[in-house]
Amino acid sequence: MDLRANEETGHNNELSMTEERKITSTPVMEFYRDKCVLITGGTGFIGRLLIEKLLRINVRQIILLSRPKKGKTAQQRCDDLFSSIVFMNLKKDCPTFIERVKLVDADLQHPSLGLSDESIEYIVNNAQIVLHAASDVRFDQALKKAIEVNVRGTRDLLRITEKIVNLELFVYISTAYSNCPQGLIKEQFYTPPSEPEKMIQLVEAMDERFEEHMNKTVNDFIHPWPNTYVYTKALTEDVVRQYGELLPIAVVRPSIVIATNEEPIGGWTDNIYGLNGVIAGIALGIIRIMHVDDNNKADIIPADIVVNAVLAAGWQTYVERKSNRPLPEAKANGELKGVVKPRTKIYNCVTGNDNPISYQKIYEYSIEVGKHCPPKKSLWIVCHNTTTNKYLYEFYKLIYHLLPALLIDTYLRVIRRTPRVMDLYRKVHKFATVIAYFANGRWTFENDNMRSLRDKLSPDDQIMFPCNIQKIEWADYFWTYIHGLRKHIANEPLENLDEAIKRHKQMRIVHFFILAAYYSLWALLIYYLFKAVGMLVF
């Protein structure tokens, strides 16, 4: 079988007709059709996929909140966003789709999202659905900024949302790890680590000296949460819970989001966070040792499954809550007696219960597929090892990462080139430290609401909005995933595949020679050491 022929076929399928294009109307499609949808985080990974899907099912308009960029007009920023390969099929089917996107200057770090009065008025009078996908996802972000963006930004968005004249839905995209100190994570709200409003007031009152002190002691402050991202996500969920007593809100908690499975194109991703970064680092021969329990379940989920779950959950929320929503008069007067208080549903969008996969399997699939599509620009061949012992990890880090990096940088200095490998490994080790908590932790996620939602979708909606993780064959998915990383992250075309395979064969031969020399040197050193201390008698 010609594996590259299969890849070429998959590439051509990006523009071919699919089963879903024959379906013109479903309950979920009809809910979103001709609606005005406000999206935050639309320039991010999930946000782009949401925009593409909504435009494909014919929403009337998308109001896209986006940070202004110096020297670029709104039109130029739109052109930059929609130049992505994600919109390739949409451009072919609907060349004028960009006319349905209204770009609005906003910045979640600023009070009231940095929106002008005119923009707020437009949103209040026109938006019907709000999809909040924006957040600062950096695990090492300063607490002040993380709270400003994730917590206060969401609160201020909800304050605007409650004024929207024809509001039908608000969906908040959180994370399955927002309550990671818990071993069992149910589809429910948990007590927040602190009072969100007080934390907002705290960071607003911070001066530079206080902020500097907070940054030094932040790990103790947020304990037992491992980083500011999940800590602020836990705070934000409590903000959403409070507003959910009156507003039609759904919360979707995806686990570890990775590249798309099928739509709009298979294997697409635009970031190297989380597992994407690990697999890319291994494929490029950079990461050779990881502190991880291979037997742990890796709760990974393709991005298009998340997008479909968000849209399906939104539809279900509208259906369930439209009959018992408090009347405007009751809300205005605070008189809710006799009115059923709706309950905000949470959907854990996870795979561990329905289609589990271990880290060991992930590495096996990735390495097997990688043999057929190695990146040409790799530092070395794949040499991946893992350990659960943190002391062994530190030792192996020295042997597999730091010593080779020192040798390469020394060579680069000799030939008067800039040494950079050691700096690269500093970043790799910082990244590895951040994800070790999640790679070695064990969680059980309940997902009854998500299962119920899947069952309630019509047969056509199950085709248009596939979110049943049980239907994914991981071996097939990783074929698409690894090829996608090569193309979209390493930016390597199919045309250089023969050259890349040839280069890897050459590197493999050199690798075994170096390995033999490397261990022979260690054996020699140990021999002379033992001889010097009199432990050898021959």
Side-chain angles (χ1 to χ4, degrees), residues 262-281:
E262 291 181 338
E263 55 174 347
I265 52 175
W268 179 79
T269 182
D270 68 348
N271 70 69
I272 55 170
Y273 296 118
L275 187 67
N276 290 344
V278 172
I279 299 300

Side-chain angles (χ1 to χ4, degrees), residues 285-288 379 400-402 404-405 420-430:
I286 298 170
I287 298 178
R288 300 180 189 178
L379 181 68
Y400 291 133
H401 289 177
L402 299 180
R420 54 186 180 182
V421 182
M422 191 66 80
D423 285 339
L424 172 63
Y425 274 115
R426 287 192 187 99
K427 294 176 183 177
V428 167
H429 294 155
K430 183 179 179 181

Side-chain angles (χ1 to χ4, degrees), residues 440-456:
N440 293 289
R442 297 193 177 189
W443 291 271
T444 300
F445 300 99
E446 291 188 353
N447 63 333
D448 292 340
N449 288 344
M450 194 66 229
R451 287 171 171 171
S452 175
L453 171 62
R454 293 195 302 252
D455 294 340
K456 289 177 181 176

Side-chain angles (χ1 to χ4, degrees), residues 144 148 199-208 210-211:
K144 176 178 169 64
E148 287 174 342
M199 290 305 301
I200 292 172
Q201 292 170 4
L202 175 67
V203 300
E204 288 179 338
M206 275 185 186
D207 57 20
E208 289 185 11
F210 186 16
E211 183 181 358

Side-chain angles (χ1 to χ4, degrees), residues 105-139:
D105 288 345
D107 189 336
L108 266 70
Q109 192 178 355
H110 296 160
S112 300
L113 314 183
L115 290 165
S116 66
D117 292 340
E118 181 182 359
S119 295
I120 292 175
E121 183 180 4
Y122 185 87
I123 290 168
V124 168
N125 291 325
N126 291 276
Q128 296 163 280
I129 296 169
V130 179
L131 303 180
H132 184 27
S135 66
D136 192 319
V137 300
R138 286 169 288 189
F139 287 180

Side-chain angles (χ1 to χ4, degrees), residues 189-190 192 195-196 233-243:
F189 288 107
Y190 288 85
E195 173 59 44
K233 280 292 192 178
L235 292 175
T236 306
E237 282 195 5
D238 195 60
V239 174
V240 173
R241 176 194 62 78
Q242 295 172 40
Y243 279 85

Side-chain angles (χ1 to χ4, degrees), residues 456-509:
K456 289 177 181 176
L457 293 177
S458 69
D460 282 349
D461 271 327
Q462 290 180 25
I463 294 172
M464 284 300 301
F465 302 90
C467 50
N468 187 350
I469 197 67
Q470 291 176 319
K471 293 186 177 180
I472 288 185
E473 292 290 340
W474 287 121
D476 295 337
Y477 171 79
F478 272 89
W479 175 265
T480 302
Y481 179 40
I482 300 304
H483 281 79
L485 288 179
R486 186 183 193 274
K487 180 178 181 180
H488 304 298
I489 297 299
N491 294 315
E492 298 207 11
L494 183 65
E495 289 72 26
N496 77 354
L497 190 55
D498 285 331
E499 205 174 335
I501 292 173
K502 180 180 178 182
R503 181 173 180 268
H504 268 251
K505 286 179 179 177
Q506 293 169 344
M507 283 198 300
R508 187 169 293 278
I509 295 170

Side-chain angles (χ1 to χ4, degrees), residues 70 91 193 198 202 350 378 444 451 459 461 497 526:
K70 287 184 179 180
K91 285 178 182 177
K198 289 181 179 178
L202 175 67
V350 295
S378 61
T444 300
R451 287 171 171 171
D461 271 327
L497 190 55
I526 293 170

